[in-house]
C-alpha cells in the first residue's frame, strides 16, 4: 500500500465566509472554523480545502486577489490562520488552500503600478497589446457574463488580457519574475504550515498568451519547476489541479513524456464527473463503464480527485449535446437552474428530488471509485440551494448548523449575513441542519460518518486499481472492484429503480470470507456470490478478501 497521504485522504471543501461566524458580523471566519474542527474530525475528514482566503475586493467570491501574502481581514489574521493549522493538525487534518495565480485583482498593487507607467517594474507582469487583438471576443470562460477577453485600459493606453472577468487581469507566465513570485507565494504558505495547494485554472496559468492567437502555447515545464520547488520546501506537499482539458492532454499535466510523475500530484476528474451525472440521469451505468475504460493510465504517484458537487456549477461541457440535454432534462430543466449554457447550479439533494436513496447511492458510488473523494460542505446533511442568488452563489449559502436563527451560522441580523441562509420548506435550516441529524442515528449525516469510516478501512479504493467487473447484470447495475496489496473490495450499485440479482460466482475462488461492510439495507450473506441481490437505488460494498 502506498504511503502517499493524499491517496487515502477524504477532502472537504468549504468557504470560510459561509461556514461559521464566531463574532456575529454576518461573515464566517477562521475562529468559527476552528470551533467546528471536532465536527469535521468526527465526520472522517482528513484534509480541508479552503476556497480563497486572501484579501480581495470580493467581486468574484475571493478569486480576485489583491494580496497573496495575507488573510482577508473579514476572516481574521495570519495568527488566526496559524492557529487553525495547529488545531487541525492536532486532529489529524491537513489543510490545503486555493492558489489563484492565473490573474490578480485589478486593484492589486502590481497591476496599479503596471498600468501607471511604461517604466513600471510590473508593466511586463501582465499581458498587453498595443492594438485591439482580433481574438478579443474569443475564449470567454463565463459566456453570458463576459463578452471579451481583452479590455482597453485608458491609463496604460494598452489592451490587457483577462481570461476571466475584466477586473481580473492575467499574469504573464512568460516573465521569469512572475514565475519566481509564484514560487515565493507557495514557499510562504508552506512555511506557515499548509499541506499543499488546489491550483485554480491551471491550463490558463501556463498559457503564454499571444495577441491574436486563440491557441497560444502552454508551458507545462513550469509545472515541473513548481513541483520541484514545493517538494524541496516540504517533502509531502501536494498540488491538486483544476485542469478540464481534452483526454489526450491529461497525462501531460501529471508528468513529462518520460512517464515520470514530476508535475501535478492530483487532478480533478472532470470526465468522470460528467459521466457520473449522465449515468445518474439515465439510470444506466454505461457512461461510468466507458469512463473507467477510457481514462488514461496514470504514472506512479498520480491520482484522480473525484467529486459530485464542488464550489462551481456541474460542468457538462465534456458531454455531447444529446447527453447534456438528458442531464439538463433530469436535473436542471428550468433555465434558472442552468449556467453558461454548459452547467447546473444546484446542489445534489435537490437535483435528485430529495430522494434519500439516490443521494446515498450517488455518494456511495463516488466514494468507491478510484481516486480521492472530495466532498463539498453541507452535502453531508443534504443541504439545498438558493436559486434566487446570482450564478454560482446559489450553492454558496451558509452552513446549516441548527434550528437557531440563521441556521446557527451567525448571530447577526439576517440582512447582515454574507448570503441568506436557505429557508425554503424542504431544505430550509429549520428542517435540514447538523443538530437535528446528530440526534438521529438514521440521518444522512450519520450515514456519511459510517460510510467514511468504512472507506478508511478499505485503502484499496484510494491507492489500488479500479476495474469494471464485466458480467451479465440487470439494467442499471454497476459492478466494479478495487484491488491492492491489502486485499480486494467488491461493489454493486444499482442506478435504476428496479431490484436486481447478479451472479458473481466466478469470483468465489478469490473470496475468503465475503461480507457486506456497507449496504443500503440488510441482505443475505454473499455466500458463493452467485445470487447477489441489490435493491432499486441500492448498493453493496463487499469485502472479498483481506491480505496481511
Amino acid at each position: 500500500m502506498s504511503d502517499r497521504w493524499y491517496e487515502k485522504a477524504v477532502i472537504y471543501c468549504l468557504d470560510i465566509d459561509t461556514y461559521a461566524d464566531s463574532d456575529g458580523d454576518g461573515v464566517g471566519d477562521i475562529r468559527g472554523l476552528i470551533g467546528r474542527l471536532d465536527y469535521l474530525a468526527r465526520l472522517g475528514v482528513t484534509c480541508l480545502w479552503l476556497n480563497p482566503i486572501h484579501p480581495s475586493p470580493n467581486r468574484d467570491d475571493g478569486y480576485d486577489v489583491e494580496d497573496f501574502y495575507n488573510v482577508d481581514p473579514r476572516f481574521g489574521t495570519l495568527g488566526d490562520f496559524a492557529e487553525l493549522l495547529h488545531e487541525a493538525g492536532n486532529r489529524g487534518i491537513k489543510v490545503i488552500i486555493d492558489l489563484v495565480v492565473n490573474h490578480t485583482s485589478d486593484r492589486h498593487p502590481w497591476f496599479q503600478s503596471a498600468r501607471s507607467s511604461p517604466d513600471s517594474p510590473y508593466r511586463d507582469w501582465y499581458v498587453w497589446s498595443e492594438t485591439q487583438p482580433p481574438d478579443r471576443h474569443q475564449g470567454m470562460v463565463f459566456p453570458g457574463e463576459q463578452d471579451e477577453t481583452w479590455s482597453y485600459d485608458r491609463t496604460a493606453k494598452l489592451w490587457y488580457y483577462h481570461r476571466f472577468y475584466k477586473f481580473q487581469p492575467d499574469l504573464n507566465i512568460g516573465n521569469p519574475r512572475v514565475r519566481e513570485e509564484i514560487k515565493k507565494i507557495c514557499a510562504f504558505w508552506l512555511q506557515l504550515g499548509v499541506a499543499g495547494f488546489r491550483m485554480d485554472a491551471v491550463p490558463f496559468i501556463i498559457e503564454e498568451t499571444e495577441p491574436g492567437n486563440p491557441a497560444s502555447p502552454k508551458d507545462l515545464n513550469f509545472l515541473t519547476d513548481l513541483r520541484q520547488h514545493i517538494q524541496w520546501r516540504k517533502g509531502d506537499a501536494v498540488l491538486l489541479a483544476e485542469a478540464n482539458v481534452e483526454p489526450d492532454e491529461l497525462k501531460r499535466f501529471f508528468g513529462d513524456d518520460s512517464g515520470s510523475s514530476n508535475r501535478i500530484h492530483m487532478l480533478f476528474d472532470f470526465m468522470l464527473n460528467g459521466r457520473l451525472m449522465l449515468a445518474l440521469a439515465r439510470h444506466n451505468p454505461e457512461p461510468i463503464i466507458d469512463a473507467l475504460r477510457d481514462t488514461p493510465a496514470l504514472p506512479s504517484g498520480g491520482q484522480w480527485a473525484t467529486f459530485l458537487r464542488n464550489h462551481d456549477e456541474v460542468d457538462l461541457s465534456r458531454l455531447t449535446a444529446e447527453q447534456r440535454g438528458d442531464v439538463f432534462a433530469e436535473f436542471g430543466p428550468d433555465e434558472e437552474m442552468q449556467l453558461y449554457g454548459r452547467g447546473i447550479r444546484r446542489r445534489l439533494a435537490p437535483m435528485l428530488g430529495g430522494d434519500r436513496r439516490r443521494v446515498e447511492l450517488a455518494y456511495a458510488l463516488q466514494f468507491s471509485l478510484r481516486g480521492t473523494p472530495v466532498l463539498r460542505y453541507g452535502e453531508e446533511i443534504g443541504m439545498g440551494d438558493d436559486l434566487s442568488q446570482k450564478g454560482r452563489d446559489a450553492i454558496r449559502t451558509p452552513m446549516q448548523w441548527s434550528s437557531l436563527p440563521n441556521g446557527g451560522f451567525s448571530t447577526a441580523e439576517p440582512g447582515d449575513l454574507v448570503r441568506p441562509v436557505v429557508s425554503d420548506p424542504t431544505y430550509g435550516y429549520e428542517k435540514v441542519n447538523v443538530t437535528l441529524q446528530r440526534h438521529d442515528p438514521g440521518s444522512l449525516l450519520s450515514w456519511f460518518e459510517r460510510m467514511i469510516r468504512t472507506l478508511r478501512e478499505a485503502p484499496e479504493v484510494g491507492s489500488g486499481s479500479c476495474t469494471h467487473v464485466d458480467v451479465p447484470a440487470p439494467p442499471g447495475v454497476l459492478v466494479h472492484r478495487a484491488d491492492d496489496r491489502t486485499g480486494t473490495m467488491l461493489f454493486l450499485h444499482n442506478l435504476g429503480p428496479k431490484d436486481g440479482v447478479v451472479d458473481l460466482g466466478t469470483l468465489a475462488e478469490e473470496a475468503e470470507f465475503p461480507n457486506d461492510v456497507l449496504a443500503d439495507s440488510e441482505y443475505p450473506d454473499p455466500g458463493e456470490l452467485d445470487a447477489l441481490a441489490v435493491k432499486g437505488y441500492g448498493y453493496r460494498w463487499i469485502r472479498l478478501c483481506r491480505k496481511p
Side-chain angles (χ1 to χ4, degrees), residues 177-210:
R177 291 176 60 206
V178 171
R179 297 183 183 221
E180 290 305 309
E181 190 69 27
I182 292 173
K183 290 193 286 186
K184 189 189 299 183
I185 292 166
C186 291
F188 176 85
W189 293 100
L190 289 172
Q191 189 68 32
L192 204 59
V194 303
F197 306 92
R198 176 264 184 186
M199 294 184 67
D200 184 59
V202 171
F204 303 142
I205 292 176
I206 60 175
E207 184 177 43
E208 297 185 313
T209 305
E210 301 170 346

Side-chain angles (χ1 to χ4, degrees), residues 264-343:
I264 300 296
H265 300 81
M266 306 174 69
L267 283 182
F268 287 105
D269 199 340
F270 284 96
M271 286 196 62
L272 178 61
N273 178 254
R275 302 288 181 85
L276 272 168
M277 289 299 170
L278 180 61
L280 291 170
R282 290 180 170 177
H283 309 276
N284 186 333
E286 287 300 323
I288 301 172
I289 296 170
D290 291 342
L292 294 178
R293 182 190 63 234
D294 298 342
T295 302
L298 301 184
S300 176
Q303 179 81 338
W304 296 111
T306 67
F307 62 100
L308 286 173
R309 290 303 294 112
N310 62 11
H311 61 298
D312 292 332
E313 76 279 6
V314 178
D315 190 341
L316 306 173
S317 59
R318 295 289 163 193
L319 300 180
T320 67
E322 179 185 358
Q323 293 170 337
R324 195 159 47 246
D326 286 349
V327 180
F328 278 143
E330 182 74 11
F331 297 142
D334 300 335
E335 188 173 340
E336 67 169 356
M337 300 172 177
Q338 302 172 16
L339 197 62
Y340 311 134
R342 66 171 185 244

Side-chain angles (χ1 to χ4, degrees), residues 23-162:
D23 57 11
D25 66 353
V27 179
D29 48 50
I30 296 171
R31 304 302 308 179
L33 174 54
I34 291 173
R36 298 296 183 174
L37 288 174
D38 288 325
Y39 164 80
L40 295 171
R42 175 171 173 169
L43 180 60
V45 171
T46 61
C47 179
L48 272 181
W49 157 28
L50 303 180
N51 291 143
I53 63 172
H54 305 305
S56 164
N58 212 34
R59 298 176 68 187
D60 184 23
D61 205 31
Y63 286 88
D64 47 332
V65 176
E66 62 179 351
D67 180 0
F68 290 102
Y69 295 100
N70 215 329
V71 171
D72 191 318
R74 298 181 307 149
F75 303 158
T77 66
L78 274 177
D80 292 329
F81 188 75
E83 184 70 10
L84 169 64
L85 296 177
H86 172 72
E87 293 292 345
N90 284 347
R91 293 162 176 80
I93 299 174
K94 297 179 182 292
V95 178
I96 64 176
I97 64 173
D98 262 347
L99 181 67
V100 189
V101 291
N102 165 245
H103 52 249
T104 69
S105 166
D106 59 2
R107 299 184 191 177
H108 196 292
W110 298 343
F111 187 70
Q112 290 300 312
S113 173
R115 68 196 290 262
S116 67
S117 167
D119 298 323
S120 165
Y122 295 102
R123 173 57 71 96
D124 61 353
W125 282 44
Y126 294 87
V127 183
W128 304 94
S129 175
E130 293 185 357
T131 58
Q132 177 177 318
D135 58 341
R136 174 186 171 190
H137 298 290
Q138 297 182 36
M140 282 81 73
V141 174
F142 304 129
E145 296 185 11
Q146 268 180 285
D147 56 13
E148 61 184 6
T149 52
W150 290 89
S151 292
Y152 187 73
D153 184 81
R154 295 181 182 276
T155 300
K157 296 181 173 59
L158 295 169
W159 295 83
Y160 68 91
Y161 184 66
H162 53 91

Side-chain angles (χ1 to χ4, degrees), residues 407-484:
F409 160 71
S410 173
T411 57
E413 292 298 317
D416 294 332
L417 297 185
V418 61
R419 288 188 196 96
V421 181
V422 173
S423 58
D424 67 59
T426 304
Y427 299 101
Y429 67 86
E430 300 91 344
K431 292 189 65 175
V432 178
N433 65 64
V434 170
T435 302
L436 284 177
Q437 296 195 22
R438 171 66 69 232
H439 294 291
D440 179 4
S443 69
L444 183 62
L445 175 60
S446 296
W447 177 84
F448 260 100
E449 292 175 351
R450 187 166 62 254
M451 185 267 288
I452 292 174
R453 284 198 303 270
T454 305
L455 178 72
R456 299 287 298 278
E457 294 176 351
E460 302 86 357
V461 177
S463 57
S465 63
C466 177
T467 312
H468 168 234
V469 179
D470 191 5
V471 296
V477 176
L478 171 68
V479 183
H480 72 282
R481 59 187 288 170
D483 297 270
D484 202 5

